[in-house]
Amino acid sequence: DVKVTQSSRYLVKRTGEKVFLECVQDMDHENMFWYRQDPGLGLRLIYFSYDVKMKEKGDIPEGYSVSREKKERFSLILESASTNQTSMYLCASISSKWAGYEQYFGPGTRLTVT
Amino acid sequence: AQSVTQLDSQVPVFEEAPVELRCNYSSSVSVYLFWYVQYPNQGLQLLLKYLSGSTLVKGINGFEAEFNKSQTSFHLRKPSVHISDTAEYFCAVSLTGGGNKLTFGTGTQLKVEL
């Protein structure tokens, strides 16, 4: 079974702190994604990566950065957390071999910024 | 760019009743279509997907969906729901040309009542 794990299920941080969200997948997938989920807005893509050290902006990259130093790990970084970044963050991975594969999701990290 | 519309944000239904969750999409190129389910405090998991071929697609847990190209719809149905189907359901599309990026709808909360 594909497994995507996220470092924390719940996280509380203060405004201005630097926040790291970690995601690890164990299926040797090339592509990894970070989404933000908010009520009534669905899932919105923040950043994605097609390969190690490669990254591309999604639909809402402002205030975020990412790092992919190893194939299995994709980190989301909030450089200076703000209250409007309080949200559920979901990581996903998928094989790049063809477009019909499904994305596999982690359990999510619920981040609260106070 | 492609987009997905889920018109119903909440659908209440009694146990053992049938249900239909609506999904319409917009795209200038051909797409793959997906339905994901999110149970409380969990990540997303795939219910079913349409890639090509038969327009009626069967998924897990007794769900099915029908692809209608002329109406650009991919509605999800189940003939008899169970309490355990209470969850949020997301429709998503990806381009057949590759990239594996998903565009999600805003989600439909299905609440099954006794």
Side-chain angles (χ1 to χ4, degrees):
Chain A
D1 270 357
V2 174
K3 193 150 189 185
V4 180
T5 56
Q6 295 183 229
S7 52
S8 305
R9 294 299 303 272
Y10 299 93
L11 210 52
V12 180
K13 296 292 182 181
R14 293 198 178 276
T15 301
E17 278 194 81
K18 190 168 185 176
V19 181
F20 293 86
L21 302 182
E22 304 284 337
C23 174
V24 177
Q25 50 94 4
D26 67 357
M27 278 301 290
D28 201 37
H29 285 167
E30 296 80 11
N31 301 351
M32 296 186 74
F33 303 81
W34 273 107
Y35 295 93
R36 171 178 172 156
Q37 182 181 8
D38 298 290
L41 297 178
L43 277 74
R44 294 177 292 166
L45 182 63
I46 305 172
Y47 266 97
F48 59 103
S49 170
Y50 286 134
D51 203 347
V52 175
K53 296 193 184 295
M54 296 187 71
K55 60 185 179 184
E56 289 194 34
K57 293 179 180 179
D59 300 318
I60 52 164
E62 296 77 20
Y64 303 95
S65 62
V66 290
S67 172
R68 191 155 180 212
E69 297 296 319
K70 292 185 177 181
K71 190 175 186 180
E72 67 271 18
R73 188 180 297 269
F74 191 34
S75 302
L76 180 69
I77 303 156
L78 286 65
E79 297 290 343
S80 177
S82 63
T83 55
N84 62 16
Q85 292 178 310
T86 291
S87 186
M88 170 72 92
Y89 291 88
L90 290 163
C91 174
S93 74
I94 186 172
S95 171
S96 67
K97 292 182 176 60
W98 66 293
Y101 283 156
E102 67 179 272
Q103 287 192 12
Y104 291 88
F105 284 82
T109 295
R110 188 167 294 282
L111 173 67
T112 302
V113 183
T114 61
Chain B
Q2 65 273 22
S3 66
V4 178
T5 301
Q6 292 181 248
L7 286 172
D8 305 306
S9 59
Q10 293 188 33
V11 173
V13 63
F14 288 109
E15 194 173 35
E16 297 184 6
V19 71
E20 179 178 83
L21 306 183
R22 297 180 293 168
C23 172
N24 288 87
Y25 70 93
S26 171
S27 176
S28 57
V29 297
S30 57
V31 296
Y32 295 136
L33 294 152
F34 303 80
W35 275 100
Y36 282 83
V37 60
Q38 184 180 36
Y39 297 106
N41 298 315
Q42 294 186 27
L44 276 68
Q45 67 180 83
L46 183 71
L47 267 182
L48 49 78
K49 62 184 176 184
Y50 173 78
L51 305 181
S52 64
S54 172
T55 57
L56 183 63
V57 180
K58 294 191 184 297
I60 62 171
N61 301 339
F63 283 93
E64 63 181 33
E66 184 149 24
F67 169 57
N68 187 319
K69 189 173 182 180
S70 62
Q71 297 187 3
T72 59
S73 67
F74 190 54
H75 300 333
L76 181 71
R77 294 191 289 259
K78 186 169 183 178
S80 175
V81 295
H82 190 265
I83 286 284
S84 60
D85 293 322
T86 293
E88 189 151 24
Y89 293 79
F90 292 95
C91 183
V93 301
S94 69
L95 300 181
T96 60
N100 292 324
K101 285 170 57 180
L102 287 173
T103 299
F104 285 88
T106 52
T108 297
Q109 181 67 45
L110 175 65
K111 183 167 182 180
V112 182
E113 302 166 351
L114 291 171

Short mmCIF file of all heavy atoms in Angstrom, two decimals, chain A residues 9-10 31 33 35 37 40-43 45 48 50 88 90 94-103 105-107, chain B residues 32 34 36 38 41-46 49 51 88 90 94-107:
data_model
loop_
_atom_site.label_atom_id
_atom_site.label_comp_id
_atom_site.label_asym_id
_atom_site.label_seq_id
_atom_site.Cartn_x
_atom_site.Cartn_y
_atom_site.Cartn_z
N ARG A 9 -0.21 15.96 12.94
CA ARG A 9 -1.64 16.06 12.64
C ARG A 9 -2.19 17.42 13.05
O ARG A 9 -3.07 17.96 12.38
CB ARG A 9 -2.40 14.96 13.38
CG ARG A 9 -2.10 13.54 12.92
CD ARG A 9 -2.46 13.34 11.44
NE ARG A 9 -3.84 13.64 11.13
CZ ARG A 9 -4.83 12.77 11.23
NH1 ARG A 9 -4.61 11.55 11.64
NH2 ARG A 9 -6.06 13.13 10.90
N TYR A 10 -1.67 17.93 14.15
CA TYR A 10 -2.12 19.24 14.65
C TYR A 10 -0.89 20.05 15.04
O TYR A 10 0.06 19.52 15.59
CB TYR A 10 -3.03 19.08 15.88
CG TYR A 10 -4.28 18.29 15.60
CD1 TYR A 10 -4.31 16.91 15.83
CD2 TYR A 10 -5.41 18.91 15.09
CE1 TYR A 10 -5.46 16.18 15.56
CE2 TYR A 10 -6.56 18.18 14.82
CZ TYR A 10 -6.57 16.82 15.05
OH TYR A 10 -7.70 16.09 14.79
N ASN A 31 6.23 12.80 -8.48
CA ASN A 31 5.50 14.06 -8.31
C ASN A 31 4.92 14.16 -6.91
O ASN A 31 4.32 13.21 -6.40
CB ASN A 31 4.35 14.14 -9.32
CG ASN A 31 4.82 14.08 -10.75
OD1 ASN A 31 6.01 14.14 -11.03
ND2 ASN A 31 3.88 13.95 -11.66
N PHE A 33 2.84 17.08 -4.13
CA PHE A 33 1.99 18.28 -4.14
C PHE A 33 1.69 18.72 -2.70
O PHE A 33 1.55 17.88 -1.81
CB PHE A 33 0.65 17.99 -4.82
CG PHE A 33 0.77 17.49 -6.23
CD1 PHE A 33 1.04 16.16 -6.49
CD2 PHE A 33 0.60 18.34 -7.31
CE1 PHE A 33 1.15 15.67 -7.78
CE2 PHE A 33 0.70 17.88 -8.60
CZ PHE A 33 0.98 16.54 -8.84
N TYR A 35 -1.33 21.00 -0.85
CA TYR A 35 -2.61 21.68 -0.98
C TYR A 35 -2.98 22.32 0.34
O TYR A 35 -2.60 21.87 1.41
CB TYR A 35 -3.73 20.68 -1.32
CG TYR A 35 -3.62 20.00 -2.64
CD1 TYR A 35 -2.98 18.76 -2.74
CD2 TYR A 35 -4.18 20.54 -3.79
CE1 TYR A 35 -2.90 18.11 -3.96
CE2 TYR A 35 -4.10 19.89 -5.00
CZ TYR A 35 -3.46 18.68 -5.08
OH TYR A 35 -3.38 18.03 -6.28
N GLN A 37 -6.59 23.25 2.34
CA GLN A 37 -8.03 22.98 2.32
C GLN A 37 -8.76 23.90 3.29
O GLN A 37 -8.46 23.90 4.49
CB GLN A 37 -8.32 21.52 2.70
CG GLN A 37 -9.80 21.17 2.65
CD GLN A 37 -10.08 19.75 3.07
OE1 GLN A 37 -9.20 19.03 3.53
NE2 GLN A 37 -11.30 19.32 2.89
N GLY A 40 -15.59 25.45 2.12
CA GLY A 40 -16.22 26.18 1.03
C GLY A 40 -15.30 26.51 -0.13
O GLY A 40 -15.77 27.01 -1.16
N LEU A 41 -14.02 26.25 0.02
CA LEU A 41 -13.06 26.55 -1.05
C LEU A 41 -12.44 25.30 -1.65
O LEU A 41 -11.72 25.38 -2.65
CB LEU A 41 -11.95 27.47 -0.53
CG LEU A 41 -12.38 28.85 -0.05
CD1 LEU A 41 -11.20 29.63 0.50
CD2 LEU A 41 -13.06 29.63 -1.19
N GLY A 42 -12.67 24.16 -1.04
CA GLY A 42 -12.10 22.92 -1.55
C GLY A 42 -10.60 22.88 -1.33
O GLY A 42 -10.07 23.48 -0.39
N LEU A 43 -9.88 22.17 -2.19
CA LEU A 43 -8.43 22.07 -2.11
C LEU A 43 -7.81 23.00 -3.14
O LEU A 43 -8.21 22.98 -4.31
CB LEU A 43 -7.96 20.65 -2.39
CG LEU A 43 -8.00 19.67 -1.24
CD1 LEU A 43 -9.42 19.23 -0.93
CD2 LEU A 43 -7.12 18.46 -1.54
N LEU A 45 -4.07 24.29 -4.78
CA LEU A 45 -2.69 23.86 -4.93
C LEU A 45 -1.74 24.99 -4.57
O LEU A 45 -1.82 26.08 -5.14
CB LEU A 45 -2.45 23.39 -6.36
CG LEU A 45 -1.07 22.87 -6.69
CD1 LEU A 45 -0.76 21.62 -5.87
CD2 LEU A 45 -0.96 22.57 -8.18
N PHE A 48 4.01 22.38 -6.25
CA PHE A 48 4.24 20.99 -6.59
C PHE A 48 5.66 20.81 -7.09
O PHE A 48 6.36 21.78 -7.42
CB PHE A 48 3.20 20.46 -7.58
CG PHE A 48 3.15 21.19 -8.89
CD1 PHE A 48 3.73 20.64 -10.02
CD2 PHE A 48 2.48 22.40 -9.00
CE1 PHE A 48 3.65 21.30 -11.24
CE2 PHE A 48 2.40 23.06 -10.21
CZ PHE A 48 2.99 22.51 -11.34
N TYR A 50 8.10 18.05 -9.53
CA TYR A 50 8.17 16.92 -10.45
C TYR A 50 9.42 16.07 -10.23
O TYR A 50 9.53 14.99 -10.79
CB TYR A 50 8.15 17.41 -11.90
CG TYR A 50 6.79 17.88 -12.36
CD1 TYR A 50 6.66 19.07 -13.05
CD2 TYR A 50 5.65 17.12 -12.10
CE1 TYR A 50 5.41 19.50 -13.48
CE2 TYR A 50 4.41 17.54 -12.53
CZ TYR A 50 4.29 18.73 -13.22
OH TYR A 50 3.06 19.16 -13.64
N MET A 88 -6.09 23.60 6.95
CA MET A 88 -5.68 22.20 6.84
C MET A 88 -4.75 22.10 5.63
O MET A 88 -5.08 22.58 4.54
CB MET A 88 -6.89 21.29 6.63
CG MET A 88 -6.55 19.87 6.27
SD MET A 88 -5.87 18.94 7.65
CE MET A 88 -7.40 18.26 8.29
N LEU A 90 -2.66 19.52 3.13
CA LEU A 90 -2.62 18.14 2.66
C LEU A 90 -1.49 17.97 1.66
O LEU A 90 -1.32 18.79 0.76
CB LEU A 90 -3.95 17.77 1.98
CG LEU A 90 -5.15 17.65 2.91
CD1 LEU A 90 -6.44 17.70 2.12
CD2 LEU A 90 -5.08 16.36 3.71
N ILE A 94 2.18 11.16 -6.54
CA ILE A 94 1.66 10.40 -7.69
C ILE A 94 2.82 10.01 -8.59
O ILE A 94 3.80 10.75 -8.72
CB ILE A 94 0.62 11.23 -8.47
CG1 ILE A 94 -0.04 10.42 -9.58
CG2 ILE A 94 1.23 12.50 -9.01
CD1 ILE A 94 -1.21 11.13 -10.25
N SER A 95 2.70 8.85 -9.22
CA SER A 95 3.68 8.46 -10.21
C SER A 95 3.53 9.33 -11.45
O SER A 95 2.42 9.72 -11.81
CB SER A 95 3.47 7.00 -10.58
OG SER A 95 4.28 6.65 -11.68
N SER A 96 4.63 9.61 -12.11
CA SER A 96 4.57 10.46 -13.30
C SER A 96 4.43 9.66 -14.58
O SER A 96 4.40 10.22 -15.67
CB SER A 96 5.84 11.32 -13.39
OG SER A 96 6.96 10.49 -13.64
N LYS A 97 4.33 8.34 -14.43
CA LYS A 97 4.41 7.51 -15.63
C LYS A 97 3.26 7.75 -16.62
O LYS A 97 3.43 7.63 -17.82
CB LYS A 97 4.49 6.03 -15.24
CG LYS A 97 5.80 5.71 -14.54
CD LYS A 97 5.92 4.24 -14.20
CE LYS A 97 7.28 3.91 -13.60
NZ LYS A 97 7.55 4.66 -12.38
N TRP A 98 2.07 8.03 -16.11
CA TRP A 98 1.00 8.44 -17.02
C TRP A 98 -0.05 9.22 -16.25
O TRP A 98 -0.11 9.16 -15.03
CB TRP A 98 0.39 7.27 -17.77
CG TRP A 98 -0.34 6.28 -16.94
CD1 TRP A 98 0.19 5.44 -16.02
CD2 TRP A 98 -1.73 6.00 -16.97
NE1 TRP A 98 -0.78 4.65 -15.47
CE2 TRP A 98 -1.97 4.97 -16.02
CE3 TRP A 98 -2.81 6.52 -17.69
CZ2 TRP A 98 -3.24 4.46 -15.79
CZ3 TRP A 98 -4.08 6.00 -17.46
CH2 TRP A 98 -4.28 4.99 -16.51
N ALA A 99 -0.87 9.95 -16.98
CA ALA A 99 -1.73 10.95 -16.33
C ALA A 99 -2.93 10.35 -15.64
O ALA A 99 -3.59 11.01 -14.88
CB ALA A 99 -2.19 11.97 -17.37
N GLY A 100 -3.25 9.10 -15.87
CA GLY A 100 -4.47 8.54 -15.29
C GLY A 100 -4.32 7.98 -13.90
O GLY A 100 -5.28 7.47 -13.33
N TYR A 101 -3.13 8.05 -13.35
CA TYR A 101 -2.95 7.55 -12.00
C TYR A 101 -3.66 8.47 -10.99
O TYR A 101 -3.88 9.63 -11.25
CB TYR A 101 -1.48 7.49 -11.63
CG TYR A 101 -0.71 6.34 -12.23
CD1 TYR A 101 0.67 6.42 -12.40
CD2 TYR A 101 -1.34 5.17 -12.60
CE1 TYR A 101 1.38 5.36 -12.93
CE2 TYR A 101 -0.63 4.11 -13.14
CZ TYR A 101 0.72 4.22 -13.31
OH TYR A 101 1.44 3.19 -13.82
N GLU A 102 -3.96 7.91 -9.83
CA GLU A 102 -4.57 8.71 -8.78
C GLU A 102 -3.49 9.34 -7.91
O GLU A 102 -2.39 8.80 -7.79
CB GLU A 102 -5.48 7.85 -7.90
CG GLU A 102 -4.70 6.82 -7.09
CD GLU A 102 -5.59 5.98 -6.22
OE1 GLU A 102 -5.87 6.40 -5.09
OE2 GLU A 102 -5.98 4.88 -6.68
N GLN A 103 -3.82 10.44 -7.30
CA GLN A 103 -2.94 11.02 -6.29
C GLN A 103 -3.24 10.34 -4.95
O GLN A 103 -4.39 10.08 -4.63
CB GLN A 103 -3.17 12.52 -6.17
CG GLN A 103 -2.62 13.31 -7.34
CD GLN A 103 -2.59 14.80 -7.09
OE1 GLN A 103 -2.78 15.28 -5.98
NE2 GLN A 103 -2.36 15.56 -8.16
N PHE A 105 -2.97 10.70 -0.87
CA PHE A 105 -2.93 11.81 0.08
C PHE A 105 -2.48 11.37 1.47
O PHE A 105 -2.78 10.25 1.91
CB PHE A 105 -4.32 12.44 0.21
CG PHE A 105 -4.69 13.30 -0.95
CD1 PHE A 105 -5.20 12.73 -2.12
CD2 PHE A 105 -4.52 14.67 -0.91
CE1 PHE A 105 -5.52 13.53 -3.21
CE2 PHE A 105 -4.85 15.47 -1.99
CZ PHE A 105 -5.35 14.89 -3.14
N GLY A 106 -1.79 12.27 2.15
CA GLY A 106 -1.50 12.10 3.56
C GLY A 106 -2.72 12.46 4.39
O GLY A 106 -3.73 12.94 3.86
N PRO A 107 -2.64 12.27 5.72
CA PRO A 107 -3.79 12.50 6.60
C PRO A 107 -4.06 13.98 6.86
O PRO A 107 -5.12 14.32 7.40
CB PRO A 107 -3.40 11.78 7.88
CG PRO A 107 -1.91 11.81 7.87
CD PRO A 107 -1.50 11.70 6.44
N TYR B 32 -9.32 13.85 -17.52
CA TYR B 32 -9.68 12.70 -16.71
C TYR B 32 -10.48 13.22 -15.53
O TYR B 32 -10.25 14.34 -15.07
CB TYR B 32 -8.43 11.97 -16.20
CG TYR B 32 -7.58 11.34 -17.28
CD1 TYR B 32 -6.19 11.47 -17.25
CD2 TYR B 32 -8.14 10.60 -18.30
CE1 TYR B 32 -5.40 10.88 -18.22
CE2 TYR B 32 -7.35 10.01 -19.28
CZ TYR B 32 -5.98 10.16 -19.23
OH TYR B 32 -5.20 9.57 -20.19
N PHE B 34 -12.27 12.47 -11.58
CA PHE B 34 -12.08 11.71 -10.35
C PHE B 34 -13.12 12.13 -9.30
O PHE B 34 -13.54 13.30 -9.27
CB PHE B 34 -10.69 11.97 -9.74
CG PHE B 34 -9.53 11.67 -10.66
CD1 PHE B 34 -9.14 12.56 -11.64
CD2 PHE B 34 -8.83 10.49 -10.51
CE1 PHE B 34 -8.07 12.29 -12.47
CE2 PHE B 34 -7.75 10.21 -11.34
CZ PHE B 34 -7.37 11.10 -12.32
N TYR B 36 -13.12 11.88 -5.09
CA TYR B 36 -12.42 11.52 -3.87
C TYR B 36 -13.37 11.70 -2.69
O TYR B 36 -14.26 12.55 -2.72
CB TYR B 36 -11.21 12.43 -3.64
CG TYR B 36 -9.99 12.10 -4.47
CD1 TYR B 36 -9.87 12.57 -5.78
CD2 TYR B 36 -8.95 11.33 -3.95
CE1 TYR B 36 -8.75 12.28 -6.54
CE2 TYR B 36 -7.83 11.04 -4.71
CZ TYR B 36 -7.73 11.52 -6.00
OH TYR B 36 -6.63 11.23 -6.74
N GLN B 38 -13.45 12.20 1.65
CA GLN B 38 -12.67 12.54 2.85
C GLN B 38 -13.54 12.29 4.07
O GLN B 38 -14.50 13.02 4.32
CB GLN B 38 -12.22 13.99 2.81
CG GLN B 38 -11.32 14.37 3.99
CD GLN B 38 -10.88 15.83 3.93
OE1 GLN B 38 -11.64 16.70 3.51
NE2 GLN B 38 -9.67 16.11 4.35
N ASN B 41 -11.44 13.94 9.76
CA ASN B 41 -10.06 13.89 10.29
C ASN B 41 -9.15 12.95 9.51
O ASN B 41 -8.20 12.39 10.07
CB ASN B 41 -10.07 13.50 11.76
CG ASN B 41 -10.81 14.50 12.61
OD1 ASN B 41 -10.63 15.70 12.44
ND2 ASN B 41 -11.68 14.03 13.47
N GLN B 42 -9.43 12.77 8.23
CA GLN B 42 -8.58 11.94 7.40
C GLN B 42 -8.21 12.66 6.11
O GLN B 42 -8.80 13.70 5.78
CB GLN B 42 -9.28 10.62 7.07
CG GLN B 42 -9.52 9.73 8.27
CD GLN B 42 -10.09 8.38 7.85
OE1 GLN B 42 -9.87 7.90 6.74
NE2 GLN B 42 -10.82 7.76 8.77
N GLY B 43 -7.25 12.10 5.39
CA GLY B 43 -6.92 12.61 4.06
C GLY B 43 -7.94 12.14 3.04
O GLY B 43 -8.95 11.50 3.39
N LEU B 44 -7.69 12.43 1.79
CA LEU B 44 -8.60 12.04 0.72
C LEU B 44 -8.25 10.66 0.20
O LEU B 44 -7.07 10.29 0.14
CB LEU B 44 -8.51 13.03 -0.45
CG LEU B 44 -9.34 14.30 -0.36
CD1 LEU B 44 -8.84 15.21 0.74
CD2 LEU B 44 -9.32 15.03 -1.69
N GLN B 45 -9.26 9.90 -0.19
CA GLN B 45 -9.01 8.62 -0.86
C GLN B 45 -9.89 8.54 -2.10
O GLN B 45 -10.99 9.09 -2.14
CB GLN B 45 -9.25 7.44 0.08
CG GLN B 45 -10.68 7.22 0.51
CD GLN B 45 -10.80 6.02 1.44
OE1 GLN B 45 -10.57 6.13 2.64
NE2 GLN B 45 -11.19 4.89 0.89
N LEU B 46 -9.40 7.83 -3.10
CA LEU B 46 -10.08 7.75 -4.38
C LEU B 46 -11.31 6.86 -4.28
O LEU B 46 -11.25 5.75 -3.80
CB LEU B 46 -9.13 7.20 -5.43
CG LEU B 46 -9.69 7.14 -6.85
CD1 LEU B 46 -9.82 8.55 -7.42
CD2 LEU B 46 -8.79 6.29 -7.75
N LYS B 49 -12.71 6.75 -10.86
CA LYS B 49 -12.15 7.66 -11.85
C LYS B 49 -12.64 7.25 -13.23
O LYS B 49 -12.92 6.08 -13.51
CB LYS B 49 -10.62 7.65 -11.80
CG LYS B 49 -9.99 6.31 -12.11
CD LYS B 49 -8.47 6.38 -11.95
CE LYS B 49 -7.83 5.01 -12.17
NZ LYS B 49 -6.37 5.04 -11.94
N LEU B 51 -11.33 7.48 -17.12
CA LEU B 51 -10.20 7.78 -18.00
C LEU B 51 -10.64 7.71 -19.46
O LEU B 51 -10.33 8.59 -20.26
CB LEU B 51 -9.06 6.79 -17.75
CG LEU B 51 -8.57 6.71 -16.30
CD1 LEU B 51 -7.42 5.72 -16.17
CD2 LEU B 51 -8.14 8.07 -15.78
N GLU B 88 -17.10 14.13 3.27
CA GLU B 88 -17.06 15.17 2.24
C GLU B 88 -16.55 14.54 0.95
O GLU B 88 -15.59 13.76 0.95
CB GLU B 88 -16.17 16.34 2.66
CG GLU B 88 -16.28 17.53 1.72
CD GLU B 88 -16.02 18.86 2.40
OE1 GLU B 88 -15.34 18.88 3.43
OE2 GLU B 88 -16.52 19.88 1.87
N PHE B 90 -15.27 15.12 -3.04
CA PHE B 90 -14.65 16.09 -3.94
C PHE B 90 -14.58 15.51 -5.35
O PHE B 90 -14.08 14.40 -5.55
CB PHE B 90 -13.24 16.44 -3.48
CG PHE B 90 -13.18 17.22 -2.20
CD1 PHE B 90 -13.00 16.56 -0.99
CD2 PHE B 90 -13.31 18.60 -2.21
CE1 PHE B 90 -12.94 17.28 0.20
CE2 PHE B 90 -13.25 19.31 -1.02
CZ PHE B 90 -13.08 18.65 0.18
N SER B 94 -8.12 16.24 -14.19
CA SER B 94 -6.74 16.46 -14.60
C SER B 94 -6.68 16.37 -16.11
O SER B 94 -7.52 15.72 -16.74
CB SER B 94 -5.78 15.45 -13.97
OG SER B 94 -5.99 14.17 -14.49
N LEU B 95 -5.71 17.05 -16.69
CA LEU B 95 -5.60 17.07 -18.15
C LEU B 95 -5.04 15.75 -18.66
O LEU B 95 -4.11 15.19 -18.05
CB LEU B 95 -4.70 18.22 -18.59
CG LEU B 95 -5.16 19.62 -18.19
CD1 LEU B 95 -4.19 20.66 -18.71
CD2 LEU B 95 -6.57 19.90 -18.69
N THR B 96 -5.56 15.25 -19.76
CA THR B 96 -5.05 14.01 -20.30
C THR B 96 -3.66 14.18 -20.89
O THR B 96 -2.96 13.22 -21.13
CB THR B 96 -5.98 13.47 -21.41
OG1 THR B 96 -6.06 14.45 -22.45
CG2 THR B 96 -7.36 13.21 -20.87
N GLY B 97 -3.28 15.42 -21.09
CA GLY B 97 -1.97 15.68 -21.68
C GLY B 97 -0.82 15.49 -20.72
O GLY B 97 0.34 15.62 -21.10
N GLY B 98 -1.12 15.18 -19.47
CA GLY B 98 -0.06 14.91 -18.52
C GLY B 98 0.06 15.97 -17.44
O GLY B 98 -0.74 16.89 -17.37
N GLY B 99 1.05 15.79 -16.60
CA GLY B 99 1.27 16.74 -15.51
C GLY B 99 0.69 16.29 -14.20
O GLY B 99 1.18 16.68 -13.15
N ASN B 100 -0.38 15.50 -14.24
CA ASN B 100 -0.96 14.94 -13.04
C ASN B 100 -1.46 15.96 -12.04
O ASN B 100 -1.69 15.63 -10.89
CB ASN B 100 0.03 14.00 -12.34
CG ASN B 100 0.28 12.76 -13.17
OD1 ASN B 100 -0.61 12.25 -13.82
ND2 ASN B 100 1.51 12.32 -13.18
N LYS B 101 -1.60 17.20 -12.44
CA LYS B 101 -2.16 18.19 -11.53
C LYS B 101 -3.67 18.03 -11.50
O LYS B 101 -4.31 17.86 -12.52
CB LYS B 101 -1.81 19.60 -11.99
CG LYS B 101 -0.38 19.99 -11.75
CD LYS B 101 -0.05 21.29 -12.44
CE LYS B 101 -0.95 22.41 -12.03
NZ LYS B 101 -0.61 23.68 -12.71
N LEU B 102 -4.23 18.09 -10.30
CA LEU B 102 -5.67 18.01 -10.14
C LEU B 102 -6.26 19.39 -9.86
O LEU B 102 -5.68 20.16 -9.09
CB LEU B 102 -6.03 17.09 -8.97
CG LEU B 102 -5.83 15.59 -9.17
CD1 LEU B 102 -6.05 14.85 -7.87
CD2 LEU B 102 -6.77 15.07 -10.23
N THR B 103 -7.42 19.64 -10.45
CA THR B 103 -8.22 20.81 -10.09
C THR B 103 -9.47 20.29 -9.39
O THR B 103 -10.19 19.47 -9.96
CB THR B 103 -8.60 21.63 -11.32
OG1 THR B 103 -7.41 22.09 -11.96
CG2 THR B 103 -9.46 22.82 -10.94
N PHE B 104 -9.69 20.76 -8.17
CA PHE B 104 -10.77 20.25 -7.34
C PHE B 104 -11.97 21.18 -7.35
O PHE B 104 -11.85 22.41 -7.48
CB PHE B 104 -10.31 20.10 -5.89
CG PHE B 104 -9.42 18.93 -5.65
CD1 PHE B 104 -8.05 19.05 -5.80
CD2 PHE B 104 -9.95 17.70 -5.27
CE1 PHE B 104 -7.21 17.96 -5.57
CE2 PHE B 104 -9.12 16.61 -5.04
CZ PHE B 104 -7.75 16.74 -5.20
N GLY B 105 -13.15 20.58 -7.15
CA GLY B 105 -14.33 21.35 -6.82
C GLY B 105 -14.29 21.73 -5.35
O GLY B 105 -13.38 21.36 -4.61
N THR B 106 -15.29 22.48 -4.92
CA THR B 106 -15.31 22.98 -3.55
C THR B 106 -15.84 21.97 -2.54
O THR B 106 -15.84 22.23 -1.35
CB THR B 106 -16.15 24.25 -3.46
OG1 THR B 106 -17.43 24.00 -4.05
CG2 THR B 106 -15.49 25.41 -4.18
N GLY B 107 -16.27 20.82 -3.01
CA GLY B 107 -16.68 19.75 -2.11
C GLY B 107 -18.16 19.75 -1.79
O GLY B 107 -18.82 20.81 -1.80
#
